[in-house]
Amino acid sequence: MWQNHNYAVDPASLPKGVEVTHINLNDGSCAGLAFPALNVMSLQYHPEASPGPHDSDSGNQSPFLSLLVPFFFSIFCTSMHNIKSLFTI
């Protein structure tokens, strides 16, 4: 394994509940992890074949976006509640 300057995650060492989500096709090393119980995920790669802001897009089915929508909706609701309380007599 040579991912990220000779450092790599050994999938066998991951705690229970952590999932390998991406594997480097060049060397078979772990390139992405997720821990659904805590809504945590990571990704370590940059696809050089298509550099730019959309090189890693997975379309509308992105697990990352599915985590962000409820998060930002919660912030929006809290903000609206706080604003409403400013104008309550």
Side-chain angles (χ1 to χ4, degrees):
M1 293 186 240
W2 54 267
Q3 183 76 353
N4 194 19
H5 307 286
N6 294 325
Y7 295 96
V9 172
D10 179 2
S13 71
L14 296 173
K16 183 178 179 180
V18 177
E19 307 165 358
V20 175
T21 59
H22 295 78
I23 296 174
N24 184 311
L25 296 178
N26 294 316
D27 63 7
S29 63
C30 176
L33 301 171
F35 192 11
L38 295 177
N39 282 338
V40 173
M41 68 176 138
S42 69
L43 190 62
Q44 173 62 45
Y45 72 89
H46 180 70
E48 298 298 332
S50 178
H54 303 291
D55 53 6
S56 303
D57 282 355
S58 60
N60 294 327
Q61 305 302 320
S62 170
F64 183 68
L65 290 178
S66 68
L67 290 175
L68 286 181
V69 170
F71 173 75
F72 282 116
F73 184 72
S74 172
I75 291 173
F76 171 77
C77 291
T78 301
S79 298
M80 293 308 292
H81 175 75
N82 292 340
I83 289 171
K84 183 179 176 185
S85 69
L86 292 174
F87 296 101
T88 303
I89 297 174

